[in-house]
Structures are given as C-alpha cells and as structure tokens.
Amino acid sequence: MLTQNVRQVYQVLPELPKEYLRRLQESNQLDAEFELEKIKEELEGYKRNYLEQPIRSVLNVIRQDKPRKNYLVILGDPGSGKSTLLQYLALDWIEQTLTNNDFNLPIPLLIELRNYVRDRDAGTCNNFLEYYHKGPNCFFHLNQHKLHEQLKAGNALVMFDGLDEIFELAKREEVITSIHRFTNEYPDVQVIVTSRIIGYKQQQLRDAEFRHLMLQDLEPAQIKDFIERWHDKTFSQAEERDKNIKRERLQRVINESKAIAELAQNPLLLTMMAILNLKRELPRDRGELYKDASEVLLHNWDEGRNLKPDERLEIIDYKDKQAMLRQVAYQMQTSEKGLAGNIIYGDDLEAIFTKYLQSIPVNDARDKARRLMKQLRDRNFILCFLGADYYAFVHRTFLEFFCASEFVRQFEKERSITIEGLKTEVFGKYWHDETWHEVLRLIAGMIGEKFVGEILEYLMVQDGEEEKFINLFLAANCLAEVRNRLVIESTATKLLNKLKNLTKYDLWYYYYSQPSYREETKLVKEIRTQAVTAIATTWQESLDIKIWLKQRATQDDNYFVRRAAVKELANHFKDDSDNKTWLKECATQDSDSDVRSAAVEELANHFKDDPDTKTWLKQRATQDDRWFVQGIAVKELAKNFKDDPDTKTWLKQRATQDDHWFVRSAAIEELAQNFKNNPDTKTWLKQLATQDDDKYVRCSAVEELAKNFKDDPDTKTWLKQLASQNSDSSVRCPAVRELAKNFKDDPETKSIIKERATQDDNVVVRGVAVRELTKNFKDDPDTKSIIKERATQDDDEYVRCAAVQELAKHFKYQLELFDIYYQCAVNDPFKDSHDPPNNPNPRRIALEIIIKQFPQHEQTLPLLRDKAENDPDEEVREFAQKKLKQWKV
C-alpha cells in the first residue's frame, strides 16, 4: 500500500526528475520517507515562487466548504496556476502523510484530459479507470478494480486537469458528461476540474452541481505578504540588511508606479519582479519590465535554480531566444485564430527555430531547434505543451509582449512598417478586437510620444458606436502608457473631452428605462460607467479630475454615473483628507439608494479602522429610508466588525425587530455565517424558520440553517419534516431545495421531491420540486415521465414553464420531446403580463428551445412565421420577428 501511494504522488507530478522515477520502477522496496522529502524539496520552489497566496485561498474554500464535493477552478491563461494548484495539493498530501505518519489519507489522483482524450480516440481506453489501467499516455498504471474500490470508499481526491486543452467542442462536451457520470458513480470522492477561461462553459458543470472558483489577482495585502515571505526565503540571516533594502525597494516601486502595481497582481510577474530587483532597480514602464522579465527566464533562470546548462545550446544566447520568440508570437497573431488562440503547431514552431538558427548560422540547426523547444518548455517556462503536438506561451503576457516587440522592431529597426501602416494596418485592423488591446497598449508604451499622438488622433475619428466605443477606451489605455504627456497635451485634452461626453451618452430613439433588464438600459449604463472609470484611471493624478468626479458624483442626473463616480473617487483618491466626510454626505444625502449603498460600501472598505465607522454604519442600517441601503449597512458592519463583542447582539436585534424582510434576512445570513459556533444560533434559526411572521425571513432562516449546520445529526430529519409536512409553502420551498442540495443520496429525499412535484398544492413549491428533481435525479427512470407530465398537464403556467425548461436543459436534442415543445409554443394558454425573470410566457420559452435545439426541423420555420404574425403576446411576436430577421427569411 505504501509503494502504491507513493506512485500516486508521481502520477500527479510527472515532470519531476526522471532519476526518482527510474529508482521507483527498479526497486521493490522504497524508502518512502526519503523519496517524499525529495519531492517536498522540489516543490518548495513552486510554493515560494508562484501561486501560494491565491492557491491557499482556493484550498481554504474547498476545505471549509464541506457540503460541496465538486469544483471547477478557472484560471486566466496557460501556466497561470493549473499545474501548480495540482502540485500544491500533492505536496499538501505529502506533508500530511509525513506529519501524521498515515499513508491511508485520501490520495491525489491526476487525469490530464488531453492525454485521456488522445488514448480514448485511439481506442486504448473507454473510461477514466481504463485510462489508469492501460492508457499509453498515463504515466503510471493502476489496477482498475482496486482503483474502483478505492474510489467507492471515497479515499481519493481526483483532479481533471485542462478542460480547455480539449480543443474540439463536441469532444469537450463528451468529457464533461463523462466527468458528471464519474461524480455520480463515486459520490464520496472530491473532484476538482481546472480550466482556463477560454474553455469554460459555466452552465454545463454548474448543472452538475460543481461550485465555480476563479483564481483572482493578488490584492495589495497579499502582494506585501508575498514580498515579505519571498525575501525571507531567499536571504539568509547574515544577509538581513541587504534583504531589507531589496524588499523595501521592490515595495516602493510597486507603490509609486501604477503600471508596475497592476502587473504585481499577477503572481508569476511578481516573482519575476522580485528576481529582477535583486540585481537592479525595476523599470517603471511595463514594456521594459516585460523585456527584463523575459531575460530572467531565458538567461538567469537556470543559474538561479542551479541547473546544469545544455552545452550544445550555449551558442544561442537570450537575445537569439528573444528574436525567435518574437517571430513565434508574430506568426501566432497572423494565424487564423490570432492572439485569442495562443496556440502554434509543433512543426511550425520547429520550423521557425530552425530557420532562424540556420541564419546565424549554427550546425545541426534542426536538432538544436528541437532541444531549444524542450528547454523553453521544461526549464525556462516560456512555452508549454498543450497536447496533440500544440504549443503555447506559458503566460499570455509573454505572447503579447513578444508580439508587440516584433511590431516595434519592424517599425523602428527594419522600417518595414511606417507610422501610417502602424495606424491603419495594426491599430486600424485590430482596435475592434479586445484580445488585441494589450498588444496595442504595449506598442504605445514602446514608441515615441508623437507617434502615439498620431495613433490616438486616428482612433478618435473611428466610428466606434457599434462596438460600444472601445476605440476611445483603447485610446485612453494607450495614453496611460505615455510617460511624457505634455508632448501630446492637445490630443490628450481632446480625448478627455470625448470621454466626458460619453458619460452623457444616450440612444437616439425612445426606450423604456425600466425594468433594469432591458438591453437598452444595460447598454447606456455600460458605456457611461466605463467612461467614468476610464477618466478616473487615466487621469488619476489630476486635481481637475478629482473635482470633476465629485461633481459627477453629486450633480449628475443619472444614478449610474453618480454611483460609478463615488466608487472611482474612493479607489483613486482614498488618501484624500476630505474623502471620508464627502462619502458620508453622499451616503446620507443622495436621492438614489443605489448611490447611497455604494458610498456605504466604500466607507466600510476604506475607513473600517476609523473609530466612528461602526457607529455610523449602525445609523445607516436603521435610519436610511430605503431597505436596500439598510441591508448593505448590515452586511458591511458584520463583515468588518464581526470580532466586536456587541456585533452579535446588534445583528439579532436587526434580525428580529427590523421592519423590512431584506434587512432582517441580511442580519440572519451574517449571524449564521459568523456565529454558527455559538450554542444558541441553531435553536434561534429554527424558531425563525417556523414562527416568524414574514415568509422571506422564514425562507432565509431555513436556507442559512441548512447551509451552516449540514453536519448536525438532526438537520436532515428537520428538513424532511419541513419539506413534506409544514403547512407554509414559503418554508416547504427552501426545505425542498436544501434537502436536494445537501442530502440527495438519502433515499427518502427523492421520494419527497417527487411527491412535492406532483402533489403539492402550491405552484411555487411544485416548480421548485420540478427543478430539483431533474437537476439531481435525471437518471432516475421516473424523472423524465414526471417532468413531461408537469409540462403538459399542470394547471399553472409557472410549473409548465419550469418543466419545459428542465426538459430542454437535461434532455437536450431528444426528438421525442419536440412535440411537447411544439404544443406548448402553439397552445399554452398563458395570458398574464410578460415578465421574463419572474413570470415568463411558456410559449416564448418553448419557441426559443425549438429554435436552439431543432433549427432544421421541418415544422420550425412555419411555426416561427406563425408566431411572428399571430401570437397574442406582443413580446412573443417581437421575439419571433427578430429571429426571422437573423435567419434572413
């Protein structure tokens, strides 16, 4: 068992030194402690130099979120944390194993999805267990029968790595379905799936009850902590003085340079900064910093890691590598997928390297090109292998930097691109595409100010209204890269005035400003608020802009703009002496509750150490004339003052005595989360759940009790009683939801939900039960029949609509269901007011399903034409007419 467990660690860490693996294979008896310590030593570099802070945040959520078993962790780019996250989990298992001397802890298992798909397509495996048993691309083979027993016992943490690295959409969806089945077959196993945002389809795994976590950028406090610990690890006690000098210098440049502070939020780049800072002061420009960082990876990285250089590649210096990588980036961006793809075929990569090396010239150029590909991937961490013979830049930052550098080289050195070409063929061609904006910004930071001025003038005359004026927002970002703006002062002023005008942007035709889900309202809000943010960010050093923001925050006739101005003032001018006083005035005097709530949030975030803030928040929680602002004040006080002795008592008063359910529910949520270890919290929540006069408060109490006391022995019994026996529908609804969410493996749960879906006398309860039944028990043979019956026979449109939606979501593209959708679209008797979020028309829902899932069906087009002309609901007619225009029929 011991040797097998150690093999599992190697399964997770395939790139560790091959010598360890050779010894493992040759030896029947393994000195586990010695080997594990070696692995531990290897991984300390990852912990120190990469993603410890954000990974700790993810792991803390996973460990504390006990009711959950499955997670999808989203990351920004290749190399931005997926492998490191999984390695960290392996290291965590190793450390626990050694500390506790317990080799039976749940073991970490890794399945690299690109390798699994490759083996499955080759016919060497049909499922994940067969992949482990005999897959050629599986690093170590495990007996699938023993592995099945281990998984059934729940004694594993299974990690599916790289959902985004399955490039074919159909295959990716098949893999998601396989992962879903895996979680159903092994319900006690914790599962983590990792993906970049590019391969992320939220709903597919959300339907499978995966919780979604996104690895965020480092916050200022995390950056400071990272710098402290990095220097403690890097310097010895004898180097204390030098450590302090270098640490303070790095922190100072981050504090003083907006561009560098932005980059420091990325853990990889922060590590690069720390290394660069050891030998010289950091540049203030992003382009120069990227250049220096690439030097570190290409030249100094091996030295810092005490790795023996490849003598056959010594003739190739870091400048040659930079030149080749510029060509790689350039070819990527001129390919069909362009920068959005960040992908290049292995043969094309080899050809670029070989051609360049032949031009130097060097002997055995092709052999050296292949060795260089391996070095850049395995030792320099510039490139990574995506599988299927595809490569990418490890971090998108380097792709963008090398791409921008190649354009600048052609513009300044080769003179093959003129300023007119740069304007029209580069900026003119790509300003519409936001995936290109970082490259364009970097170009602006690398060339002369006068040239940037010409580019800004060009961008300002483009018609960007159809693209939500991204030409002007790009121009603002490019201006932010210019060090000496006085050279192009008139151009900068012209741009500022255009952005100020956008804060008053409106559509030329009449539209309803309410309800807030209208597309027109969203569009106007997005443009106006983005303009405020662009002005505050680009001109944040200007006293005039501070005055202008205050005017917008207090005098603008649009609450979107006032709210945005409040937030930008608080964030960009937080050290201003009068900010607190001004925010208080805004939080009490603005006519709009949304603006007042924004001021309350910013005050709590920026001035929580002020002795008056707590008292002031209590006043807002009781004295504001809008319940929304009061609820926000309750949440902010609980978040920032939970350790205060009287916070709990005060929250209980709000939860029981406030006049509005929203405020009381906010207090209940904060009490349950922050004081769940208090002996009377559970009893008190139960009383509220069954005895409170307000239905929304009762609902909140049920939800919070289930969420925070799932492991309590009598919670499940209590929820069953509420779901099946309580006379109050506002209690049965949350009880059904929480029972399904937390106790779906209990056989009684399914029976209770089936009963509620078919027999409950309340339409909302039936609708909730319909959704929970399909979400949690779609493989049950009775589920589909029950939902079909509700979709066609239920007396209430809310339940019929819910059933139709669930059929479409969980039983996609099934032709047998077409008739149900068709009959609903034609005959559903819905006659109420059309309110999509709260009371959707089943005919509209069914029509949309038919269009999406059966566009080629012979009855679809005639149905769409009929609905466009004859449906009694104007909203349905307009929807059908819009679709006909899109289909151009």
Side-chain angles (χ1 to χ4, degrees), residues 2 69 204 307 353 388 412 543 629 643 707 711 738 796:
L2 175 62
K69 281 289 182 185
Q204 291 171 298
L307 297 175
F353 285 1
E412 293 185 340
L543 180 60
V629 180
D643 296 328
K707 183 193 301 182
D711 297 329
E738 298 302 326
D796 190 87

Side-chain angles (χ1 to χ4, degrees), residues 92-106:
D92 186 66
W93 177 82
I94 294 166
E95 290 177 334
Q96 288 188 54
T97 299
L98 293 175
T99 302
N100 302 328
N101 195 28
D102 181 2
F103 289 89
N104 293 307
L105 292 171

Side-chain angles (χ1 to χ4, degrees), residues 796-808:
D796 190 87
E797 64 264 9
Y798 174 79
V799 182
R800 295 195 303 273
C801 192
V804 166
Q805 288 176 309
E806 293 305 304
L807 283 172

Side-chain angles (χ1 to χ4, degrees), residues 655 661-662 664-665 668 684-706 718-719 722 726-735 737-738:
W661 67 266
F662 181 84
R664 296 176 62 196
S665 294
I668 288 170
W684 177 77
L685 283 171
K686 281 191 172 183
Q687 290 174 349
L688 285 180
T690 55
Q691 300 173 22
D692 197 273
D693 294 336
D694 190 282
K695 64 179 182 180
Y696 296 111
V697 172
R698 295 194 296 272
C699 181
S700 295
V702 172
E703 290 173 346
E704 293 305 320
L705 199 145
W718 181 75
L719 285 173
L722 292 185
N726 196 280
S727 60
D728 183 357
S729 63
S730 63
V731 172
R732 295 198 302 278
C733 270
R737 276 196 300 265
E738 298 302 326

Side-chain angles (χ1 to χ4, degrees), residues 332-343:
M332 279 186 177
Q333 62 86 22
T334 54
S335 70
E336 183 178 347
K337 289 189 176 182
L339 278 166
N342 185 13
I343 184 172

Side-chain angles (χ1 to χ4, degrees), residues 374-494:
K374 180 174 174 56
Q375 184 186 83
L376 292 172
R377 185 184 79 188
D378 295 344
R379 294 175 66 150
N380 298 131
F381 301 123
I382 285 281
L383 299 177
C384 64
F385 182 65
L386 298 180
D389 203 26
Y390 284 100
Y391 288 76
F393 280 91
V394 161
H395 200 281
R396 185 179 179 82
T397 295
F398 292 114
L399 166 63
E400 292 162 340
F401 163 69
F402 283 118
C403 182
S405 298
E406 179 60 17
F407 279 114
V408 172
R409 188 187 69 82
Q410 292 181 26
F411 174 63
E412 293 185 340
K413 299 287 179 63
E414 282 190 356
R415 304 297 176 102
S416 57
I417 300 179
T418 64
I419 183 58
E420 288 302 316
L422 200 59
K423 287 191 295 187
T424 59
E425 296 302 316
V426 182
F427 282 81
K429 187 176 180 180
Y430 296 115
W431 68 261
H432 310 77
D433 186 351
E434 292 189 70
T435 64
W436 269 83
H437 281 197
E438 182 64 16
V439 173
L440 302 179
R441 286 180 63 183
L442 285 168
I443 292 173
M446 294 177 185
I447 62 177
E449 290 90 346
K450 290 185 178 179
F451 294 125
V452 178
E454 290 189 47
I455 289 169
L456 297 185
E457 294 283 356
Y458 173 84
L459 288 173
M460 282 190 280
V461 299
Q462 304 306 305
D463 183 3
E465 186 166 13
E466 287 294 319
E467 290 86 4
K468 303 177 185 179
F469 299 100
I470 60 173
N471 57 314
L472 297 181
F473 298 129
L474 171 63
N477 286 330
C478 290
L479 179 62
E481 302 293 328
V482 176
R483 176 172 288 192
N484 184 6
R485 294 190 195 175
L486 288 176
V487 177
I488 52 172
E489 186 175 10
S490 61
T491 299
T493 301
K494 187 188 300 184

